[in-house]
Amino acid sequence: MSKIVNIDWKPNKKSNEPVYKQIVNYMNKKVASGDWAIGNKLPAQRELAKAFNVNRSTVVMAIEELKSYGILEGLAGSGTVVAENTWSILMSSNETNWGSHLESGYFMESLPTIQTINEYEFVDKIRRLGTGEMSPKLFPKEYFNNALRKLSGEISSLNYLEPLGLESLRETIAKRMRSIGINANPKNVLITAGSLQALQLISICMLKKESTVYCEVPSYINSLRVFQSAGMRMKGINMDGEGIQYWNMKEENTNYDSVLYTIPTNHNPTGTTMSLNRRKELYSYCKANRIPIIEDDAYGELTFDKASPNTIKSIDESGMILYLGTVSKSFAPGLRIGWVVGPESVIERLGDVKMNVDYGASSISQLIINELFVNGDYDKFIVENKSRLRRRRDIMLNAMDKYFTEIGRWNIPEGGYYVWTELKDKISMEALFKNALSKKILLNPGYIYDIRNKNKFIRMSYIYLDEDEIEVAVKDLSIIIKEMKKS
Ligand code: PMP
């Protein structure tokens, strides 16, 4: 038998609020708080009138209103019960309704496909064939634990840090930057919570609304809303095998308010590395046209068989390049550590805003990564891990040769994470995404990086799946595509 709820309250007859409304609010709260559970029964109307010390007609009015919201329902033979309708509680409640606020912030919501990807990445047994982070199996547990062990004996506080980040880490990073030809001292370095935060800070501090952000097309940046949300216009520039075709950046910006965002090394998603020559030409062009450059070097340490070409920043004597580094792709994204290298005035301004945003990147992460840089384990891991990444790449390329030759073409990445695959025939990428999901394969459809080519490209990655899972996933995907083409 269902429980009959207990009435422990009476309306205030002296209040300006009608008595029946007070009863509605009381019952509403009891249901919303969970004190009254779904299926609980209300006392008979006569008893309710007595408990509330009101007329029966007042009780009837309150119950009818709650029935109209779906909160109560009258069941033949069992009186009035609490109904199964939590949504109507939200809608009828007098509490703050967040719905109207959700749309009013300036930051745009993620693309629906990205939202789905973000959600499915955590679904059990999902095969992440497009993902941009390393398999947990590649995580350097031993190096990491050694750093933790050492730090556990040393850390005596975890207070906030200097506005630009841990001094010793900035020194270490400045030294690392100098070792790759970038002229930097600690005052030129701001530690951020990943390079994504660096982009966010740059967009809110330095770029004007309605200015143009040039980028490669396709580009990782198109999968984000950082610049668009701040009111900037994205302008995609085509690439060839040597990188961005900078000469197509038509100068329409008489106010000199355009910037270029580029990923010159092991580009996301195409895997392209810009040639040294193109880097030099691009730099001269941007300098002549006063287009500052944001150089995103997230995959710069991940070229397999040779050194990556010099960064564009290393050619820069004028301070017009902001260089972004991160440990996310080469070590561990969950540390949330990245850095910006730029002129002191810019770094100070970004650091000041960062203090307003989060008062600094995680102190513990900064200490850990500094230890790993200084004791040499970070660099050891990079070298060791390259051969694992190369082997995974080869497994994927072999599988692609076996199963995709008929249906697509792709790049041969020399580093980074991605095989950018172009299908020979267009197919509905949304349908493919869904069909793949039904076989537990999570894809990154190309349109999230280049909306112009909706139904042709897929970003595949060899970085997350186990070696023996890569071939099976590639094969299963090829079967899905071939079947879709038949129907
Ligand atoms: N830049 C590029 C090119 C990336 O691919 C990513 C991650 N996918 C990021 C930046 C963001 O990295 P972080 O974790 O450092 O914010």
Side-chain angles (χ1 to χ4, degrees), residues 132-133 192-199 220-221 224 261 263 266-268 296-299 324-329 333-334 336-338 418 459:
E133 68 179 326
T192 57
S195 43
L196 197 44
Q197 187 185 44
L199 288 169
Y220 159 72
I221 200 73
L224 303 171
Y261 167 85
I263 311 164
N266 302 316
H267 177 261
N268 178 5
D296 184 340
D297 201 24
Y299 302 86
L324 311 187
T326 175
V327 301
S328 288
K329 302 298 158 179
R336 306 309 299 132
I337 293 293
Y418 310 115
R459 186 186 85 172

Side-chain angles (χ1 to χ4, degrees), residues 240-444:
D240 57 31
E242 288 198 65
I244 193 166
Q245 295 176 322
Y246 63 85
W247 53 91
N248 290 325
M249 288 194 269
K250 297 264 176 331
E251 251 336 292
E252 41 184 64
N253 62 320
T254 41
N255 297 328
Y256 299 119
D257 57 4
S258 303
V259 293
L260 166 68
Y261 167 85
T262 178
I263 311 164
T265 306
N266 302 316
H267 177 261
N268 178 5
T270 65
T272 311
T273 289
M274 197 186 294
S275 67
L276 187 57
N277 208 26
R278 182 68 55 85
R279 288 173 195 234
K280 289 179 181 159
E281 291 169 6
L282 170 68
Y283 176 70
S284 307
Y285 179 90
C286 287
K287 198 169 161 194
N289 290 284
R290 297 211 224 160
I291 303 174
I293 300 174
I294 302 165
E295 179 178 15
D296 184 340
D297 201 24
Y299 302 86
E301 294 179 305
L302 293 176
T303 304
F304 302 141
D305 297 314
K306 50 186 177 193
S308 300
N310 288 343
T311 62
I312 314 174
K313 178 74 181 158
S314 68
I315 324 170
D316 178 32
E317 334 88 30
S318 60
M320 60 174 271
I321 299 183
L322 293 181
Y323 171 93
L324 311 187
T326 175
V327 301
S328 288
K329 302 298 158 179
S330 38
F331 198 86
L335 284 169
R336 306 309 299 132
I337 293 293
W339 56 92
V340 192
V341 182
E344 277 181 38
S345 56
V346 173
I347 293 299
E348 249 172 53
R349 164 93 173 112
L350 295 173
D352 178 58
V353 174
K354 180 161 166 59
M355 287 306 267
N356 282 277
V357 170
D358 67 0
Y359 235 77
S362 153
S363 309
I364 185 90
S365 289
Q366 295 188 58
L367 288 161
I368 292 170
I369 206 67
N370 191 46
E371 173 62 26
L372 287 156
F373 279 150
V374 171
N375 73 14
D377 284 350
Y378 178 92
D379 291 315
K380 244 196 266 170
F381 173 70
I382 299 289
V383 174
E384 292 162 1
N385 205 38
K386 272 188 196 181
S387 59
R388 295 181 205 121
L389 301 192
R390 195 196 305 110
R391 195 165 61 234
R392 283 160 172 269
R393 176 205 59 182
D394 292 342
I395 292 171
M396 178 167 268
L397 290 178
N398 282 337
M400 295 297 289
D401 280 340
K402 234 161 138 180
Y403 302 109
F404 264 73
T405 303
E406 241 179 84
I407 49 176
R409 38 188 164 250
W410 54 92
N411 66 316
I412 313 257
E414 295 185 335
Y417 288 5
Y418 310 115
V419 173
W420 181 241
T421 303
E422 178 180 6
L423 297 180
K424 287 185 184 164
D425 300 315
K426 284 187 180 173
I427 73 175
S428 161
M429 211 34 82
E430 271 159 11
L432 177 63
F433 182 71
K434 282 195 192 127
N435 292 343
L437 261 190
S438 72
K439 298 272 187 262
K440 294 238 169 216
I441 295 177
L442 184 58
L443 288 181
N444 282 38

Side-chain angles (χ1 to χ4, degrees), residues 110-120 429-430 433 442-445 447-448 454:
S110 305
L111 295 166
T113 308
I114 303 262
Q115 290 178 344
T116 311
I117 292 172
N118 291 342
E119 192 185 316
Y120 272 85
M429 211 34 82
E430 271 159 11
F433 182 71
L442 184 58
L443 288 181
N444 282 38
Y447 61 75
I448 61 185
K454 195 151 189 324

Side-chain angles (χ1 to χ4, degrees), residues 5 12 109 138 144-145 156 233 268 274 302 321 347 479:
V5 300
N12 176 1
E109 67 176 8
L138 297 171
F144 191 74
N145 287 346
S156 53
R233 287 176 295 145
N268 178 5
M274 197 186 294
L302 293 176
I321 299 183
I347 293 299
I479 294 170

